[in-house]
Structures are given as structure tokens and as C-alpha cells.
Amino acid sequence: MNLILLGAPGAGKGTQAELLVKRLGIPAISTGNMLREAMANGTELGKLAKKYMDEGALVPDELILGIVADRVAQPDCEKGFILDGVPRTLAQAEALEAKGVKIDHVVSIEVDDGKIEGRMTGRRVCAKCGASYHIVANPPKTEGVCDSCGGELIIRKDDKPETVRHRLEVYHASTEVLKDFYAKLGRLRTVNGDQSIEGANEDILKAIGAKV
Ligand code: ADP
Ligand code: ADP
Ligand code: ZN
């Protein structure tokens, strides 16, 4: 099963992707995590992506398509994969179709803009594996330490309120159109993201026809 998780920054894509990985046994592919890893390792890709990410702008489509095409071709994606945060533009969605990357369900996690800032100010991410936590809604067992890998939890540079506001604008201007694109293809499923993490997860499982 090949899935796309769509939604505004902070809607819960990463959190839900982690739960779906455990439940469905297929890998999650987060372009945001891949780009942050590239930045941390100082690779060419990381250097190119940094200025866009720091400003909350989108990284150019060609860079994204290159890393996604390579990743979905890996053997662990044979039984399916979860795309988290990609595609984010019509050009990316069209390119995936053109490359023959088959998508079964596109789950749009819906959260109003007004709820996003509180999620972002409380977000902490694992510097090592990218896992996402929240100081109130989803705290780690030990403060500052990732439950799954023991890595250090940090605040993302682009989670400051000004950058978050810009990322929301970018979402509405460039990414939200993908809902229409996939609705026309009959693949769009919409889920209320403004509920508990477990509740949203159940709704996603139902939306993709998995047993809850
Ligand atoms: P995205 O990947 O869409 O940017 P995340 O999964 O990283 O979003 O979630 C953003 C923040 O909101 C994180 O701090 C996460 O722990 C928290 N969060 C995720 N889902 C919920 C929820 N249903 N209710 C409250 N907080 C949530
Ligand atoms: P969030 O889900 O919280 O918005 P991500 O980790 O998905 O954050 O993305 C962080 C940043 O990485 C984006 O603001 C953008 O600069 C870049 N990025 C990630 N995925 C893409 C993509 N598919 N296309 C363009 N830029 C991307
Ligand atoms: Zn971790």
C-alpha cells in the first residue's frame, strides 16, 4: 500500500507516519527529515536546501524529485511506503504520476491554522531519527531524550512563529491544490487532525480501509 500524508505544517503528518510504520510495517519517507539529515551531514544537497528551509520556503522541485525517486526504488519500499510531506506542489505530484509511482490513498490531515502555532512552539524533534514529540500533547518518557533511539530532542529552527506563519502561507498557496488534484483521481481521504493523536490515527486507518 502506497500512501501520501498531506496537511499543513504541524498537522501531525510525522506523528501519524510513525504510528503507521509500526502498524503497517512499511517505511515512512519524510523529505523534511531527509533534508535535515543532509544539512547535518553537510552534503551538497543539504547546502542547497538550507536557505530555503531556514526561511520556510519550498526547496526546488528537482532536488525533491531526485531524492524521492531514489528512495522509493529501495527494496524496503517494495511492499509499500508512506510519503510524509511530499508531494508539496502540483509539479511534484505530476512528476510522481509521470514516473509511475503508484499512490493508493492520499490522506489529508485537516487542522485549522489557528491551532498550529501552539503545536509548533511545543514541538521537539529527535536530532538523530527525526521522531516528533510535543512537550504537552506527546511528551517523551524522559525529558529531552527520544523514546525510540535515545537521541537528543531539539527545537527546529523553522518552528519559530514568524517562519511558521510563512510556511502556512506556502501551504495554502502551493500545496493545498493537491487535494483537488487527488480528489479528481478518486484517491483523496480527509481526516480530522484536531483531535487526539490516537483518534486521528484510528480515522486514518479507517480511511485507508485497514482494520482499526
Ligand atoms: P507535521 O509532520 O505535520 O509537521 P508533527 O507530526 O511533527 O506535524 O506534529 C506537530 C506537533 O504537534 C508535534 O509537536 C506533535 O507532537 C504535535 N501533535 C501531532 N498530532 C497532534 C494531535 N492530534 N494533537 C495535539 N498535538 C499533536
Ligand atoms: P512540516 O511538515 O512541519 O511543514 P517538513 O519537515 O515536512 O515540515 O518540511 C520542512 C521544510 O523542508 C519545508 O519548509 C521545506 O523547506 C522543506 N521541504 C520538505 N519537503 C519538501 C517538499 N516535498 N518540497 C519542497 N520543500 C520541502
Ligand atoms: Zn530518535
Side-chain angles (χ1 to χ4, degrees), residues 8-9 113-114 116-117 163-173:
D113 286 9
I116 297 294
E117 193 174 319
T163 317
V164 168
R165 276 194 289 279
H166 182 56
R167 285 160 60 206
L168 283 170
E169 284 166 16
V170 169
Y171 172 75
H172 293 300

Side-chain angles (χ1 to χ4, degrees), residues 14-37:
T15 302
Q16 295 299 332
E18 286 168 46
L19 294 173
L20 292 170
V21 165
K22 289 186 195 136
R23 181 66 166 63
L24 303 172
I26 53 177
I29 301 173
S30 159
T31 40
N33 285 351
M34 290 165 90
L35 293 168
R36 279 184 288 278
E37 200 184 323

